Amino acid sequence: MECCKLAGCAAVEPLGWLAAWQLLAADRCVCSDSCRPRATLFSSLVHLMNLFARAGATFDPASSGDHLQPHMLAILQALAAGASHPSALVQAAALSVIEPLLPFITEAHVTAFHSLLGSLLQCAHAALAAANEELLVQLFQVLVEVAECPAPLLQPCLQQVLEMCMTVATNKQFEPDTRERALHLLHWMAK
C-alpha cells in the first residue's frame, strides 16, 4: 500500500487511516513527492481527532479513545517521525495533530510521548536554524497545550524547552509575536 494512494482517498474508514500511521512510523512510505502525501496523512489524522472530539455533549476521551488506544504508540511514533522529517510542511502537519491527540494520552503513553518530545526539540532546533517563525509559533502553542496536561509530559525536557524559550524570547531578530509565544510558554511552565 503506497502512501500516495492513501493520501488521495478521502473516503477511507477512520480506523483505516491508522494503518497509514503505522506506515509513516515505519518509514516505509516511499513516493516521488513524499512530503505532500505525508502532510496530507497527518492532516487526515487531525480530521479524525476532530471527529472524535465532536462526538457530542457526552464526549469522554477515555471511552472515545478506546478506538485509538491500541494504535496510540504507532501514532506517537508516526508523529515523532513527522516532527523529525526534513520538510517544514511535514513538521507543521505533525505538530497540528498533537493538540487534538492530547486528551487521549494516558499514563501508559507517557514514555512514548517523551520520545516524541525529543523529535519536537529537533524540530525546534531546525526551525531556529532556518528562522522559521511560523513553525516556532506553532511549536510553542503545542508545548503550552502539553504543559497544561495533567500527566508529566514535559518533565524530561524542561531544561531544553526553557533554554529554547529563552533563546527565542531574547532574540530581537524574531517578530514580537514569536517572542511573546516563547514568553507565554515560559510563564505557563513557571506556574
Side-chain angles (χ1 to χ4, degrees):
M1 182 182 303
E2 293 178 13
C3 62
C4 290
K5 291 178 185 174
L6 289 171
C9 182
V12 173
E13 291 289 323
L15 291 179
W17 283 107
L18 293 172
W21 315 133
Q22 291 169 337
L23 281 175
L24 286 170
D27 204 25
R28 291 183 296 218
C29 188
V30 179
C31 300
S32 58
D33 180 14
S34 65
C35 295
R36 189 152 315 279
R38 285 175 185 239
T40 302
L41 288 171
F42 283 117
S43 296
S44 299
L45 184 56
V46 170
H47 179 70
L48 173 64
M49 299 308 299
N50 288 333
L51 288 176
F52 277 116
R54 287 192 306 250
T58 60
F59 172 68
D60 176 18
S63 64
S64 298
D66 286 345
H67 300 291
L68 292 176
Q69 293 306 315
H71 308 284
M72 192 63 84
L73 295 177
I75 292 171
L76 290 172
Q77 289 172 346
L79 291 174
S84 354
H85 196 276
S87 166
L89 176 68
V90 174
Q91 291 172 348
L95 287 174
S96 67
V97 175
I98 296 171
E99 188 174 342
L101 188 68
L102 289 175
F104 303 103
I105 302 292
T106 65
E107 290 295 324
H109 308 117
V110 171
T111 303
F113 196 89
H114 289 164
S115 297
L116 172 60
L117 280 177
S119 297
L120 292 178
L121 289 172
Q122 286 178 348
C123 177
H125 291 299
L128 278 169
N132 185 341
E133 293 189 47
E134 187 176 318
L135 193 61
L136 282 171
V137 166
Q138 185 180 7
L139 183 64
F140 287 133
Q141 178 60 37
V142 166
L143 290 175
V144 165
E145 296 300 323
V146 169
E148 291 176 356
C149 286
L153 298 177
L154 277 182
Q155 282 185 347
C157 298
L158 277 177
Q159 182 175 349
Q160 294 100 325
V161 173
L162 289 171
E163 289 171 0
M164 177 188 61
C165 288
M166 292 301 296
T167 299
V168 172
T170 58
N171 187 336
K172 294 183 180 184
Q173 293 178 348
F174 287 122
E175 292 291 324
D177 183 54
T178 306
R179 296 171 65 204
E180 182 179 323
R181 296 290 178 119
L183 289 171
H184 181 69
L185 179 56
L186 280 172
H187 172 76
W188 220 103
M189 289 172 61
K191 284 185 177 183

